[in-house]
Amino acid sequence: MHKQSLVIFVLAAAGGFLFSLLHLPLPWTLGPLAMAIIWKTLLGKVAYWPKKRRNMGLIVLGYMMGSPFTLSVAQQIAQQLPIMLLTTVILIALCLGTGYLAERYTSIGLANSLIGSIPGGLSQMSVICEETKGTSVSVVTLMQTVRVVTVVFTVPLLALHGIATHVTPAAMSTVSHMDLSQLPILAIFLATILAFVKLAKRLHISNIYVICPVLGTALLTLSGLHAPVLPAPVISLAQIFVGIRMGLDVDFGSLANWKKISVINLFTVLMVILLLLGVSYIFSLIYPVSFVTAFISMAPGGMSEMALTAISANADFPTVVAYQLFRLLFILLVCVPVTKWLIQKKLYRI
C-alpha cells in the first residue's frame, strides 16, 4: 500500500473507532470521512486513496443492501406496489422540493441541490455526483452528510419516544467471523456481482458499482439462495474504504458558504421529516398499518438504521425492509437517471 494511503487509512480507522466509542451514527463511514477532511483540508496534508478501493467498499455495501430482498419481501412489494410507489414519489417530491428551496437561499446551483437532496444514500449519491455534469462532489457530499446525520438522530428519537407505544431493546445481528462452509456461496454472489459489473461496463451503464451489487445480490436471494452474513470487521472495512474517498472529495476551500449550506440543509431535512409525520399518519388511517411502521418505512434514512429502529419500536419489520428497499431501487433505477437526464438536457435553469 502507498505510504500516503497507509497514513490516511490508519487515521480513518482511528476516526471510525472514536465515532463508535461515542455512539455516533454511521461511525465507520462518518468517522473516516471526518478524518479525511481534517487531514487534507484543515491540515493541508497530501493524501492518496484510489477510486478502485472505494469501489471495492461499494460492492460490499451493495451486497448488504441487496441481501434482504428475499422472496417474502418481494411478495410484499408486489402486493403493495401501488402504495409503495405513491409513498416513494411523495418522499422524493418532498426532498426535491425542499432542495429547490435550499438552492434559492444558497445559490449552489440546482443540479447540486437536486442530487444533494435525493434520499438515495450517502455513498451512492457521492458516486452519482461524479458522473453528473454541473455538480460538485463537495457540495453533494456535504448535503448528503447533513441529511443522513439529521435523519439517523431524529427519526429514531421521534419513533421510539414519540410514536411507538411499546419499545424494546434491540441490536442488529453481527458476526465476528464467518462459517467457512459459507465461502462457496459467497463466491457465487461475488462472481454474479462482478459479471453484472462487467456487463454494465460494456453497455456503458452509469453508477455500476452502486446498482450492480444491489441487483446481483437481490436476484440471487430472490431465487432462494441465502446471502451469508458478512463479518462485522469486513463491513466496517468497506465503510472505511468508502468514507475515506468521500472525505477526500470534500473541498471546503471551494465552498465559501459551507456553513450556510449546512444550516439551510438541516432545516430542509427537518421540514421533510415533519411533513412525513403527517403523511404517514394519514397513511395509517387509510391502510392496515401502524403509525410507527408507516413513519419508519417512509423515513429517508439508511436501511440498517431504520431496520434497527423498527425492531426497537416493535414496528412491522418486513414492511419496513420492503419499503426501504423499494425506495432504494426506485431511486437508483428511475429517479437518478431521470434527474440526470433532465439536468443534462437543461430542462432546468441551472
Side-chain angles (χ1 to χ4, degrees), residues 4 16 25 31 34 39 52 101 115 128 132 142 152 159 177 184 197 211 225-226 234 257 291 293:
Q4 294 175 353
W39 184 250
K52 181 182 292 187
L101 293 176
I115 299 295
I128 288 166
T132 306
L142 177 61
V152 170
H177 64 278
V197 169
I211 296 176
L225 191 62
H226 176 69
V234 173
N257 59 341
F291 183 15
T293 297

Side-chain angles (χ1 to χ4, degrees), residues 4 61 89 119 160 173 214 230-231 237 257 271 283 292 309 329:
Q4 294 175 353
L61 298 181
V89 170
L160 299 176
S173 59
V214 176
L230 295 176
L237 187 64
N257 59 341
M271 186 187 304
F283 181 83
V292 66
T309 304
L329 293 176

Side-chain angles (χ1 to χ4, degrees), residues 194-270:
L194 294 179
F196 270 58
V197 169
K198 187 175 181 179
L199 177 62
K201 283 184 177 179
R202 290 185 177 182
L203 297 176
H204 303 289
I205 297 174
S206 60
N207 315 326
I208 59 175
Y209 291 103
V210 176
I211 296 176
C212 293
V214 176
L215 286 182
T217 304
L219 288 176
L220 286 180
T221 55
L222 186 59
S223 68
L225 191 62
H226 176 69
V229 178
L230 295 176
V234 173
I235 299 172
S236 299
L237 187 64
Q239 294 179 76
I240 291 174
F241 277 24
V242 174
I244 291 174
R245 183 69 199 191
M246 291 168 57
L248 295 181
D249 284 338
V250 174
D251 182 12
F252 287 114
S254 64
L255 297 176
N257 59 341
W258 67 270
K259 293 181 180 179
K260 185 177 182 180
I261 295 173
S262 300
V263 172
I264 291 178
N265 197 44
L266 170 63
F267 281 109
T268 59
V269 174
L270 289 175

Side-chain angles (χ1 to χ4, degrees), residues 115 118 120 125 128 132 207 330-341:
I115 299 295
I118 295 175
M125 291 302 105
I128 288 166
T132 306
N207 315 326
F330 182 86
I331 287 175
L332 292 179
L333 298 177
V334 179
C335 178
V336 169
V338 170
T339 303
K340 288 173 62 177
W341 180 80

